[in-house]
Amino acid sequence: PRPETGPPAHPDPPPPSAPSGPTAAPAYGAWTPAPDSLTPPGDEPEDRTAAAPASKLGPLPPPPPSRAYVGTRPPTYDAEPTALPAADPDDLDALVPDTVLDGARYGACTLRAVSVRGDSARYRGEPRRDALLTARFGAGERALVLVAAATGVRAAPGAHLAAAEACRWIGAAVGRSHERLTDDIRAARRADLKAGLHRLTDRTLGKLRAAATEQGLDPDDYAATLRCLLLSADPGCRTRVFFGVGPGGLFRLRDREWQDIEPEAAEVKGEPVLGFGSPPHETRDGDRLTMDLGIPTPPSPYEPAPEPPREPFRFRTSVARPGDVLLMCGTGFAEPLRGEAELRAHLAGRWSDPEPPGLTAYLADVQVRVKGYADDRTAVAVWEA
């Protein structure tokens, strides 16, 4: 967490007391071990098991009231925006709003997505470095919903622009391949999904590096982390696909307990498959393209040094149970969720109700503040019917 500076805010009212007595609900927010992140969707026995009956868990208590902050002390910064980012009259398209909020309901899931400028950026008049894109490709049960979240490099010029471009480019790549992706998700072709999405992600980040070079910027500064979620609109398909590059959080709320299911960063084994935006294997005239035999080329003394290793690709498929809540977020929300048990407990209590929260209630939940955490918050949650 980044240390905070700035004028202290007015103290918020004390949090409501927790229920007590023999009818109190079970404790919320405990971590439980996650299943193996590399298990194929068809081989996840814990995800295929029916949800526990209500009689075993007991009746759900009413959700606790919304809170302004958790912890013993209020955060340093004011709870509301203070300063606006500087604007260029010749480039007003570069401005980003303080908050973006979206939602939808497709198939067996309800989507809530929000990106909020951090308390530190609100006080300093800096733009939100996080970008959020929600898009639907196709129609009916063959529709595919993509949610992409990106974060620009801290203190880098144009960080918010790099994040927005990363979201747009991965959205365009997924949109052009959505029919193939839809078929593979419904058929649980995990290997094809992993290889194909890795190819699309590499191509997106490659375009970002090329854009940096064209603008005369350092590619390490004009860069972004990228985290995406794919949802099928088919009510019979419970497979949820996460992929991306860079740190953040992937969590699941199941039976009132949080599971940290963030996949380990590992390189994909095997070659990317054709069909996900890859070039054809022959030209229109029927000429075969040159085959890459994988033979390494000896280094040349006239070529620049090889690039430093890039962030590894992250991928996970999850088969949802009814009642699950899947949460994908950037580091600005993942860090306080991992570091503050009271925040986990509060959100577990708020989100364990079978009925998903409305947009404004979800925004209020994501904005519950924790002292010591002042970065942008981007959170995408999926409630399973």
Side-chain angles (χ1 to χ4, degrees):
R2 189 173 63 172
E4 300 176 334
T5 58
H10 297 292
D12 291 315
S17 58
S20 60
T23 59
Y28 288 113
W31 289 110
T32 59
D36 182 9
S37 62
L38 299 181
T39 304
D43 297 335
E44 290 189 8
E46 77 287 350
D47 281 342
R48 295 206 311 268
T49 307
S55 59
K56 179 179 178 182
L57 297 176
L60 281 173
S66 180
R67 295 171 61 175
Y69 71 93
V70 295
T72 57
R73 292 184 297 166
T76 302
Y77 296 103
D78 290 331
E80 300 298 333
T82 303
L84 290 171
D88 181 351
D90 297 321
D91 191 18
L92 294 179
D93 289 341
L95 293 176
V96 292
D98 177 270
T99 301
V100 175
L101 182 63
D102 208 349
R105 179 172 294 179
Y106 283 100
C109 62
T110 299
L111 173 68
R112 297 287 182 260
V114 66
S115 183
V116 183
R117 189 163 54 134
D119 290 346
S120 175
R122 283 175 164 181
Y123 172 71
R124 302 174 191 280
E126 298 171 351
R128 175 167 48 89
R129 292 184 299 115
D130 282 5
L132 177 67
L133 171 72
T134 53
R136 171 182 61 86
F137 304 104
E141 293 187 357
R142 291 192 57 79
L144 182 68
V145 176
L146 165 72
V147 189
T151 302
V153 178
R154 187 189 301 277
H160 60 295
L161 301 178
E165 286 197 328
C167 286
R168 285 196 298 268
W169 284 333
I170 193 64
V174 168
R176 287 190 289 267
S177 301
H178 78 273
E179 293 184 356
R180 172 71 183 273
L181 288 166
T182 298
D183 290 339
D184 287 347
I185 291 174
R186 297 172 74 178
R189 301 187 188 104
R190 185 177 181 278
D192 288 351
L193 284 168
K194 187 174 185 179
L197 292 171
H198 189 198
R199 186 186 189 97
L200 296 187
T201 303
D202 278 353
R203 181 164 296 185
T204 294
L205 299 181
K207 291 179 69 175
L208 201 60
R209 289 188 292 271
T213 302
E214 292 175 359
Q215 301 176 54
L217 302 175
D218 186 345
D220 291 335
D221 289 339
Y222 197 77
T225 63
L226 181 63
R227 304 174 70 79
C228 304
L229 198 61
L230 291 177
L231 310 171
S232 172
D234 183 356
C237 178
R238 293 277 188 174
T239 301
R240 313 298 177 218
V241 179
F242 162 80
F243 67 97
V245 170
L250 185 67
F251 307 97
R252 179 167 55 201
L253 180 60
R254 172 175 289 176
D255 296 341
R256 310 180 195 179
E257 293 185 342
W258 285 104
Q259 297 175 350
D260 190 338
I261 59 174
E262 174 74 8
E264 294 182 1
E267 295 293 342
V268 173
K269 297 179 180 179
E271 294 297 323
V273 297
L274 292 174
F276 294 95
S278 56
H281 65 282
E282 63 181 22
T283 66
R284 293 182 179 179
D285 298 330
D287 296 329
R288 295 281 178 173
L289 299 181
T290 303
M291 180 180 295
D292 182 6
L293 300 178
I295 302 174
T297 304
S300 168
Y302 305 103
E303 293 181 354
E307 296 182 4
R310 298 169 186 162
E311 285 278 356
F313 181 69
R314 299 173 187 263
F315 176 87
R316 182 183 176 100
T317 57
S318 175
V319 180
R321 290 183 191 171
D324 281 355
V325 181
L326 183 65
L327 174 65
M328 179 189 77
C329 52
T331 55
F333 196 53
E335 288 180 352
L337 195 62
R338 289 191 176 106
E340 182 57 55
E342 192 174 352
L343 179 62
R344 296 197 301 272
H346 175 70
L347 293 180
R350 293 277 297 171
W351 293 353
S352 290
D353 193 297
E355 184 64 25
L359 290 179
T360 54
Y362 180 70
L363 172 61
D365 290 340
V366 173
Q367 289 191 114
V368 174
R369 301 187 305 147
V370 184
K371 186 172 180 60
Y373 301 92
D375 282 344
D376 297 349
R377 289 187 175 187
T378 299
V380 178
V382 179
W383 274 260
E384 299 292 340

